[in-house]
């Protein structure tokens, strides 16, 4: 952990109480079950995993939109996990969020300029005319016309709406933007535009991102460090180059094996080692390795004993009893 | 009819939408062919007419939309003007459809067994016991564990991937000759998507059914399709064998799509930093505000005045491979 860290998440747990089991015992969903990571200033930290793995819950916990059961979140030197009321509001200008669906995350009755101004209005930053100036500046920064502020959300296309959402997130000049699947709802041509916009804004403004996605190729394109999540926990964490050259966790391999490519031979997927089954319920996570039930390499030890995240040097950490001993089923990784 | 004749042929199909201010052509002279037992991938951005083509084929166009010209020929039979009764007999029986969102396309108040059995009772006249037997077989064929017990489960008791398997079981229950799969895995995780694709291939090999795969993902096309048609703004702008198009895209839009798809690079290939992702500037023209000449011209780097004024022809670039573009070099016939 260095002084350059813009975000530090320590032992974060988010549990949701969902009533009682027949018999009276409490049912608790372990959405996020102890994750640690940090984001260096000016970089992008990616979180990948299947739906239900807890990726979005991490985003919401950082944004203070989900209750934090245990652990701490620091933005710079300020602990934001314990803030309440006015002090939380005051801190909010420093971290903003971009959501997946640009259709449901803009108020249809608010014009674009008002939408971008809203964070400034709520946080009472600047005078009204200064806020309008910031809104126009942000519109041009995200590649929209400065006069587009007079239009309503329905007058924009999906890609343009996502640009609006990014402009709104930028308005309060945050240090950190949490992006939850920001390109998943977009067409591939528009997806490329938004990814390149995010990269360019990062270079121009020194932004830091937490970037949540289920798409490994997108994560590889935009992220500097990656955490792979499974059922509320990180199973592997590494700098992006390290992860894609030398992934060591069987779950990471199975995500890589399932990726599609326009260059692949027809039926290539059928020849790869595909993962069967689906993740177990987060209400009653297995006591051993959470991936053991689907893992082709699992032994009795995996079922009985939970593997810790072990360090493999230069920030590469893997939670598998047999990490480094297994032969990756992906030929490209063996050659490396 | 020989096996080389296309099983489904769409010839110069146009669909128009009536609005208060006039008619808008949402599909413009689109032609397609699907050979028996093969998969045709239809690729394009949202609003390009992919799903509209499928709906026109099923004769399920929304109110206000109408087929204004062209023909749809299914196994030698012209169904463009077939009666409603004939279409009801074909739908679900000879042609069936798998939709994107399995939660909204299954009825939440009936068990999945009832819903699969309904299709076979309606279309094949099986009695209740036989229909239930059939439903069990179908759930087994899509590899749902404990099929007998799951028959009595409701859709909400299944996960997303399992629900899509139920949809596929239902689509296959009447042994259709053509399945239209409209973005069948878009709502699913990659590992589940891989399972569904593997299942679709396996079932196609067993049953010999033809598949129309509607997708925006060129990777899905590479995995499943024999042939590809690329759509842009209601035009079919390129079509041909999948291998030919993916290796040698001839239309600037298709090659643009190829270059803006991020690629996963593993092993040694991941060592260098990420290469820049190219983008296609601008966005699709709005319905009713189509440019004069080529519809892609406003976004095309190669476009000149000719492109902007005259509609391009379909130019043959390789055997069975053509592109609707003025700038494409025609195939040199030896």
């Amino acid at each position: 952990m260095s002084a350059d860290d813009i975000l530090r998440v320590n032992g974060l747990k988010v549990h949701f109480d969902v009533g009682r089991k027949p018999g009276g015992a409490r049912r608790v969903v372990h959405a996020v079950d102890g994750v640690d990571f940090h984001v260096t200033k000016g970089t992008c930290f990616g979180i990948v995993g299947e739906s239900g793995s807890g990726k979005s819950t991490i985003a919401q916990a950082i944004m203070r939109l989900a209750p934090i059961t245990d652990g701490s979140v620091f933005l710079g030197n300020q602990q934001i996990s314990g803030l309440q009321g006015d002090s939380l509001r005051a801190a909010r200008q420093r971290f903003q969020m971009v959501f997946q669906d640009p259709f449901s995350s803009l108020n249809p009755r608010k014009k674009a300029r008002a939408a971008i101004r809203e964070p400034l209005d709520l946080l009472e930053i600047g005078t009204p005319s200064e806020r309008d100036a910031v809104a126009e500046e942000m519109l041009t920064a995200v590649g929209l016309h400065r006069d587009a502020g007079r239009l309503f959300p329905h007058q924009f296309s999906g890609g343009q709406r996502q640009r609006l959402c990014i402009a709104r997130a930028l308005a309060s000049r945050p240090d950190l933007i949490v992006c939850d699947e920001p390109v998943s709802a977009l067409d591939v041509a528009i997806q490329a535009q938004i990814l390149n916009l995010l990269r360019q804004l990062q270079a121009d403004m020194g932004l830091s991102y937490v970037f949540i996605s289920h798409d490994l190729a997108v994560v590889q394109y935009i992220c500097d460090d990656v955490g792979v999540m499974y059922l509320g926990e990180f199973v592997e964490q590494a700098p992006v180059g390290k992860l894609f050259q030398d992934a060591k966790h069987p779950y990471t391999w199975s995500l890589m094996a399932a990726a599609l490519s326009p260059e692949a031979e027809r039926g290539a997927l059928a020849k790869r080692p595909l993962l069967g089954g689906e993740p177990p319920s987060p209400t009653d996570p297995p006591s051993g390795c959470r991936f053991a039930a689907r893992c082709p390499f699992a032994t009795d030890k995996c079922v009985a004993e939970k593997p810790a995240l072990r360090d493999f040097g230069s920030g590469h950490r893997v939670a598998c009893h047999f990490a480094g001993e297994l032969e990756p089923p992906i030929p490209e990784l063996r050659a490396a | 009819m020989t096996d080389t004749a296309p099983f489904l042929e769409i010839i110069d199909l146009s669909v128009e939408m009536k609005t208060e201010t006039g008619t808008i052509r949402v599909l413009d002279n689109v032609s397609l062919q699907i050979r028996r037992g093969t998969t045709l991938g239809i690729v394009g951005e949202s609003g390009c007419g992919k799903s509209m083509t499928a709906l026109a084929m099923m004769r399920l166009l929304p109110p206000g939309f109408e087929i204004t010209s062209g023909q749809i020929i299914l196994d030698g039979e012209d169904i463009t003007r077939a009666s409603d009764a004939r279409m009801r007999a074909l739908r679900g029986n000879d042609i069936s459809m798998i939709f994107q969102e399995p939660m909204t396309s299954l009825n939440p108040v009936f068990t999945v067994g009832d819903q699969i059995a309904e299709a076979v009772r309606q279309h094949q006249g099986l009695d209740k016991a036989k229909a239930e037997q059939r439903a069990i077989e179908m759930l087994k064929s899509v590899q749902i564990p404990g099929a007998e017990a799951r028959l009595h489960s409701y859709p909400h008791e299944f996960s997303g991937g399992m629900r899509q398997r139920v949809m596929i079981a239902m689509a296959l229950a009447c042994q259709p000759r053509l399945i239209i799969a409209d973005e069948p895995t878009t709502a699913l995780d990659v590992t589940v998507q891989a399972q569904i694709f593997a299942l679709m291939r396996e079932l196609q090999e067993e049953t010999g059914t033809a598949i129309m795969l509607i997708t925006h993902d060129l990777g899905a096309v590479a995995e499943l399709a024999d042939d590809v048609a690329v759509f842009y703004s209601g035009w079919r702008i390129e079509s041909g064998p999948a291998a030919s198009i993916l290796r040698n895209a001839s239309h600037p839009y298709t090659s643009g799509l190829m270059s803006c798809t991020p690629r996963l690079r593993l092993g040694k290939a991941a060592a260098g930093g990420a290469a820049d992702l190219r983008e296609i500037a601008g966005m699709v023209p709005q319905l009713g505000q189509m440019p004069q000449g080529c519809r892609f011209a406003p976004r095309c780097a190669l476009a000149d005045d000719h492109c902007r004024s005259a509609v391009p022809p379909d130019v043959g670039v390789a055997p069975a491979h053509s592109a609707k573009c003025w700038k494409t070099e025609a195939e040199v016939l030896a």
Side-chain angles (χ1 to χ4, degrees):
Chain A
M1 307 279 159
S2 74
D4 293 338
D5 288 342
I6 193 73
L7 179 77
R8 271 178 296 143
V9 174
N10 302 322
L12 180 69
K13 285 187 184 177
V14 182
H15 292 175
F16 297 103
D17 195 327
V18 287
R20 290 184 185 280
K21 284 183 212 172
R26 283 253 155 240
R27 291 206 313 172
V28 176
V29 172
H30 299 240
V32 178
D33 221 3
V35 302
D36 301 276
F37 66 95
H38 59 108
V39 182
T40 312
K41 191 165 171 35
T43 69
C44 176
F45 185 87
I47 302 177
V48 279
E50 290 176 279
S51 37
S53 61
K55 319 185 285 290
S56 294
T57 309
I58 293 188
Q60 288 173 2
I62 295 171
M63 293 308 298
R64 295 295 313 278
L65 299 173
I68 295 173
T69 311
D70 196 14
S72 63
V73 179
F74 283 86
L75 190 68
N77 292 322
Q78 188 180 19
Q79 179 167 359
I80 55 173
S81 44
L83 295 181
Q84 294 294 340
D86 285 345
S87 48
L88 177 59
R89 277 166 60 92
R92 281 225 185 267
Q93 80 177 85
R94 299 180 54 207
F95 56 110
Q96 293 286 332
M97 186 155 178
V98 176
F99 297 89
Q100 172 171 358
D101 183 356
F103 291 83
S104 59
S105 52
L106 286 168
N107 184 339
R109 298 182 55 178
K110 265 204 161 92
K111 288 182 179 171
R113 189 172 60 197
I116 299 172
R117 264 186 56 160
E118 190 164 20
L120 303 181
D121 293 339
L122 291 172
L123 297 166
E124 292 166 2
I125 299 170
T127 63
S129 63
E130 281 169 359
R131 291 175 203 164
D132 281 342
V134 170
E136 280 190 4
E137 188 191 334
M138 291 309 150
L139 278 169
T140 42
V142 297
L144 293 170
H145 196 274
R146 56 192 306 128
D147 293 337
R150 289 176 305 175
L151 302 176
F152 284 101
H154 75 266
Q155 291 169 295
F156 294 91
S157 70
Q160 288 173 328
R161 279 184 224 207
Q162 200 57 297
R163 287 177 194 263
L164 273 184
C165 293
I166 294 171
R168 178 176 60 185
L170 290 173
S172 68
R173 304 265 177 202
D175 300 317
L176 175 79
I177 297 187
V178 177
C179 307
D180 189 1
E181 302 263 15
V183 295
S184 314
L186 306 176
D187 279 310
V188 59
I190 306 301
Q191 169 178 305
Q193 291 177 4
I194 297 293
L195 289 175
N196 285 339
L197 173 68
L198 286 171
R199 291 225 306 197
Q200 181 216 324
L201 291 170
Q202 182 173 37
D204 293 351
M205 304 184 179
L207 290 169
S208 312
Y209 298 126
V210 171
F211 190 96
I212 291 165
S213 177
H214 65 279
D215 187 335
L216 280 180
V218 166
V219 163
Q220 184 171 32
Y221 183 65
I222 198 156
C223 296
D224 300 288
D225 297 280
V226 186
V228 181
M229 262 200 113
Y230 190 78
L231 211 65
E233 295 176 337
F234 281 139
V235 294
E236 184 158 12
Q237 249 177 301
V240 69
K242 191 87 184 144
L243 185 75
F244 290 96
Q245 283 177 74
D246 193 22
K248 290 191 191 308
H249 198 284
Y251 179 63
T252 314
W253 293 338
S254 63
L255 287 181
M256 290 172 170
L260 298 169
S261 156
E263 276 83 22
E265 292 294 322
R266 186 161 176 267
L269 217 47
K271 297 186 192 89
R272 294 208 217 117
L274 294 179
L275 200 57
E278 285 165 35
S281 157
T283 319
D284 258 322
S287 56
C289 173
R290 295 191 173 180
F291 185 57
R294 298 171 81 192
C295 181
F297 304 99
T299 65
D300 292 345
K301 184 181 181 191
C302 302
V303 179
E305 200 181 311
K306 190 181 173 70
L309 269 174
R310 282 188 292 149
D311 205 327
F312 283 81
S314 44
H316 191 179
R317 304 201 296 159
V318 189
C320 173
H321 292 305
F322 302 102
E325 297 165 31
L326 302 170
E327 167 104 331
I330 299 170
E332 292 93 324
L333 294 180
R334 281 200 294 269
Chain B
M1 180 139 284
T2 63
D3 260 357
T4 49
F7 173 64
L8 173 86
E9 196 168 14
I10 294 179
I11 307 163
D12 291 335
L13 183 73
S14 295
V15 170
E16 288 181 358
M17 173 177 78
K18 286 200 171 47
T19 67
E20 285 168 11
T21 48
T23 58
I24 293 173
R25 193 169 262 218
V26 291
L27 273 187
D28 190 23
N29 284 312
V30 167
S31 297
L32 295 174
Q33 292 187 348
I34 306 182
R35 290 171 293 129
R36 217 171 282 278
T38 65
T39 300
L40 171 74
I42 299 188
V43 194
E45 289 175 81
S46 10
C48 68
K50 314 185 289 273
S51 299
M52 204 49 78
T53 308
L55 292 175
M57 264 179 60
M58 298 282 272
R59 297 271 305 284
L60 290 173
L61 287 172
F65 288 77
E66 191 184 12
I67 298 176
T68 50
S69 65
Q71 277 182 301
I72 302 164
I73 296 168
L74 183 78
D75 207 5
E77 177 187 357
D78 187 341
I79 58 168
T80 331
R81 304 264 177 270
S83 67
D84 286 352
R86 177 67 188 135
M87 284 314 296
R88 267 201 301 279
L90 284 173
R91 274 185 228 127
N93 206 17
D94 294 81
I95 317 174
S96 59
M97 206 158 171
I98 304 170
F99 296 93
Q100 175 171 350
E101 192 17 88
M103 195 62 226
T104 52
S105 34
L106 289 169
N107 190 331
V109 300
F110 289 99
T111 65
V112 301
D114 282 345
Q115 296 186 57
I116 299 173
E118 183 195 6
V120 284
R121 289 175 70 185
Q122 283 283 331
H123 292 290
Q124 316 223 306
L126 298 187
D127 64 30
K128 202 172 169 200
K130 283 210 180 94
E132 194 173 297
Q133 206 47 48
R134 183 58 164 282
I136 294 175
E137 278 168 38
M138 292 322 299
L139 288 179
K140 279 185 180 154
S141 75
V142 295
Q143 294 152 23
I144 291 182
E148 285 87 353
R150 295 301 257 164
L151 201 62
H152 306 291
S153 301
Y154 289 89
H156 75 267
E157 298 175 272
F158 289 84
S159 66
M162 283 295 156
R163 260 182 236 141
Q164 198 58 294
R165 283 171 194 262
V166 171
M167 281 297 294
I168 294 176
M170 206 187 286
L172 287 170
C174 296
Q175 292 157 325
R177 295 177 291 164
L178 173 67
I179 294 177
I180 302 172
D182 191 352
E183 305 264 10
T185 58
T186 308
L188 305 176
D189 282 312
V190 282
T191 55
V192 181
Q193 164 174 282
Q195 294 169 10
I196 297 288
F197 281 171
L199 177 69
M200 283 171 65
R201 286 189 66 90
E202 223 172 88
L203 293 170
Q204 184 175 41
E205 270 163 33
E206 274 169 34
T207 60
T209 172
I211 298 178
M212 180 191 264
L213 174 73
I214 298 175
T215 179
H216 64 277
D217 187 344
L218 290 167
V221 165
E223 174 63 25
L224 287 178
D226 300 275
D227 300 289
V228 184
V230 184
F231 277 48
Y232 186 79
S233 277
W235 280 359
R236 190 210 68 192
I237 50 106
E238 183 159 7
S239 85
S244 182
I245 289 194
L246 293 172
R247 275 171 195 63
N248 190 17
S250 297
H251 196 285
Y253 177 64
T254 316
S255 50
L257 278 184
M258 289 292 283
S259 61
C260 66
T261 305
R263 309 293 206 281
L264 186 63
R265 288 161 299 118
L266 297 174
K268 285 202 181 73
D276 283 342
L277 206 53
R278 294 225 335 256
E279 24 182 299
I280 304 176
M283 52 182 179
V284 289
Q286 284 194 318
L287 285 174
Q289 296 173 13
M290 289 301 168
Q292 267 247 307
C294 174
R295 291 184 175 179
F296 184 60
R299 300 173 77 182
C300 181
L302 304 175
D304 58 19
D305 288 345
H306 190 47
C307 299
R308 281 185 276 270
S309 58
V311 171
D314 273 319
V315 181
V317 289
H321 180 174
S322 71
K324 194 179 178 74
C325 178
W326 287 113
K327 298 291 179 184
T328 297
E329 303 271 330
E331 176 188 11
V332 184
L333 294 167

